[in-house]
């Protein structure tokens, strides 16, 4: 649940000449921390105090002593920060920065699905709304989903929501049968297997690295599958110097910064558009981030009963994560 503060595009007269300096000043004045996902615009990544994937961001949100959390990501990520920090001001630069995967799991429909399988434990991917987290037993991320499921007794039936592609990957890695909710990420489902193969023919020396939210035909060609942080770490450790990256291309900014001598090629989408860029993530801009800090809004708020119910499975995840 969000406060319904309308956002209007800033005029140039509202903005300082040097946004980077102005944001640094506001951060000090507010005692704020800027947390950014790897899929954010490179300018936002460059002003962030911490850049990471969902697991890393959750840990940072849980540990920060800042009074204000500016979350440069999408709404479920900012919600998670608020769940963990109920007494802190949590800001999201654009309230319209949603998530197709979270939207694919409506709370009412999921409640009925869960009620139809009362003996099942609910493991939900963190890419879901606070309402879905509140109905879950354990939260997971793409970094720890396999390990989390492996820690659950084998006789315990499991509902895995909301991403069916990550669920299938977890099933393959664990040998467990999971009851999957039929949700997906619009970005990771948009990679073209045909174009990926064609690209690899052009760059046979490149390793293909992919996020487990991708569909099975794409994962079949991957030399390595992992979360965004895992992909970054793998590329750093690999002896190869060229990589085709099958995830949202915002991560390539960090890859190029960490490994300037290596080549990173974004995996192609099915169409001719830039559909491998998340339109929700890209709604956040440096200008909106500045205004959010300046105006101390849009603010993320949650009903306390929902927050408390959602907190329990997140805390279980953090306790089970190694």
């Amino acid at each position: 649940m969000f406060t319904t503060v309308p956002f209007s595009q800033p005029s140039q007269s509202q903005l300082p000449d040097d946004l980077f300096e102005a944001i640094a000043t506001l951060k000090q004045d507010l005692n704020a921390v800027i947390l950014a996902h790897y899929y954010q615009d490179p300018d936002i990544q460059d002003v962030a105090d911490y850049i990471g994937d969902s697991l890393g961001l959750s840990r940072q949100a849980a540990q920060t002593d800042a009074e204000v959390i500016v979350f440069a990501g999408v709404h479920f990520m900012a919600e998670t920060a608020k769940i963990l920090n109920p007494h802190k001001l949590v800001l999201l630069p654009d309230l319209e920065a949603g998530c197709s995967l979270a939207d694919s799991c409506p709370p009412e429909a999921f409640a009925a699905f869960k009620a139809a399988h009362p003996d099942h434990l609910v493991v939900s991917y963190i890419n879901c709304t606070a309402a879905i987290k509140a109905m879950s037993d354990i939260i997971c991320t793409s970094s720890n989903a396999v390990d989390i499921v492996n820690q659950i007794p084998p006789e315990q039936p499991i509902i895995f929501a909301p991403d069916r592609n990550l669920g299938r990957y977890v099933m393959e890695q664990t040998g467990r049968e999971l009851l999957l909710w039929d949700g997906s990420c619009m970005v990771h489902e948009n990679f073209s297997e045909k174009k990926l193969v064609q690209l690899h023919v052009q760059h046979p020396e490149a390793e293909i690295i992919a996020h487990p939210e991708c569909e099975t035909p794409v994962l079949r060609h991957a030399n390595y599958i992992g979360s965004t942080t895992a992909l970054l770490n793998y590329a750093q450790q690999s002896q190869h110097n060229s990589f085709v990256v099958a995830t949202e291309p915002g991560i390539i900014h960090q890859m190029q910064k960490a490994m300037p001598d290596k080549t990173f090629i974004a995996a192609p989408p099915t169409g001719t558009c830039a559909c491998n860029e998340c339109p929700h993530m890209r709604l956040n801009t440096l200008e909106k981030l500045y205004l959010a800090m300046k105006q101390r809004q849009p603010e993320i708020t949650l009903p306390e009963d929902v927050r408390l119910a959602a907190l329990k499975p997140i805390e279980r995840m953090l306790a089970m994560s190694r």
Side-chain angles (χ1 to χ4, degrees):
M1 174 179 173
F2 303 107
T3 52
T4 55
V5 179
F7 181 87
S8 56
Q9 190 65 30
S11 65
Q12 204 58 40
S13 61
Q14 293 177 277
L15 300 172
D17 292 332
D18 189 335
L19 279 171
F20 291 92
E21 181 181 345
I23 288 169
T25 300
L26 280 170
K27 189 167 62 174
Q28 187 171 16
D29 292 345
L30 295 172
N31 185 18
V33 64
I34 300 173
L35 306 180
H37 195 275
Y38 285 124
Y39 298 165
Q40 290 292 284
D41 181 86
D43 281 347
I44 291 179
Q45 294 187 38
D46 289 343
V47 299
D49 297 290
Y50 177 83
I51 308 158
D53 59 13
S54 294
L55 178 59
L57 290 167
S58 296
R59 284 174 166 154
Q60 289 295 316
Q63 296 167 4
T64 185
D65 57 3
E67 295 176 30
V68 177
I69 299 172
V70 186
F71 215 114
V74 293
H75 63 69
F76 77 79
M77 297 177 178
E79 278 188 333
T80 302
K82 187 64 177 180
I83 291 165
L84 292 164
N85 297 276
H87 303 300
K88 295 183 180 181
L89 180 64
V90 178
L91 304 173
L92 182 67
D94 192 327
L95 284 183
E96 297 300 316
C99 173
S100 60
L101 177 55
D103 290 345
S104 73
C105 191
E108 298 82 3
F110 187 72
F113 184 74
K114 177 183 175 181
H117 305 281
D119 59 331
H120 282 57
L121 190 80
V122 178
V123 177
S124 292
Y125 186 26
I126 199 168
N127 296 31
C128 64
T129 64
I132 298 300
K133 290 181 175 71
M135 287 186 265
S136 304
D137 295 295
I138 307 171
I139 299 300
C140 71
T141 72
S142 56
S143 298
N144 63 19
V146 170
D147 188 44
I148 292 286
V149 170
N150 274 331
Q151 294 181 59
I152 298 169
E155 67 276 7
Q156 172 63 58
I158 298 171
I159 290 173
F160 189 92
D163 191 281
R164 62 175 179 258
N165 293 319
L166 178 59
R168 289 185 189 123
Y169 175 74
V170 172
M171 287 172 65
E172 291 173 2
Q173 296 300 305
T174 63
R176 295 285 292 270
E177 187 67 31
L178 305 178
L179 181 59
L180 305 180
W181 177 264
D182 192 24
S184 64
C185 166
M186 62 186 290
V187 171
H188 288 96
E189 282 211 320
N190 213 21
F191 292 111
S192 166
E193 181 193 14
K194 179 179 179 180
K195 289 184 178 181
L196 180 66
V197 172
Q198 291 172 340
L199 185 63
H200 201 216
V201 169
Q202 297 170 23
H203 301 277
E205 76 289 352
E207 283 196 303
I208 297 173
I209 56 177
H211 194 282
E213 284 183 40
C214 294
E215 292 189 304
T216 301
V218 169
L219 295 181
R220 190 182 302 129
H221 298 280
N223 300 98
Y224 179 78
I225 300 168
S227 69
T228 42
T229 296
L231 297 181
L232 176 62
N233 292 339
Y234 178 81
Q236 289 178 297
Q237 296 163 8
S238 173
Q239 298 302 309
H240 286 71
N241 292 313
S242 183
F243 303 87
V244 174
V245 183
T247 192
E248 213 278 354
I251 184 63
I252 291 178
H253 180 62
Q254 292 302 315
M255 290 175 167
Q256 290 174 332
K257 286 177 69 174
M259 296 158 278
D261 296 330
K262 294 189 177 185
T263 300
F264 300 95
I265 307 162
T270 53
T272 57
C273 62
C275 302
N276 53 355
E277 291 185 358
C278 176
H280 305 290
M281 286 279 189
R282 301 307 171 109
L283 285 175
N284 295 315
T285 65
L286 199 64
E287 292 81 3
K288 292 177 185 178
L289 189 146
Y290 163 78
L291 284 180
M293 297 177 72
K294 182 74 173 176
Q295 300 170 357
R296 297 170 66 89
Q297 63 183 31
E299 178 185 359
I300 301 299
T301 62
L302 287 170
E304 185 64 4
D305 59 336
V306 173
R307 188 194 72 81
L308 288 172
L311 178 62
K312 293 177 183 178
I314 294 173
E315 289 180 332
R316 289 192 190 107
M317 174 191 74
L318 294 173
M320 294 171 73
S321 300
R322 300 168 184 175

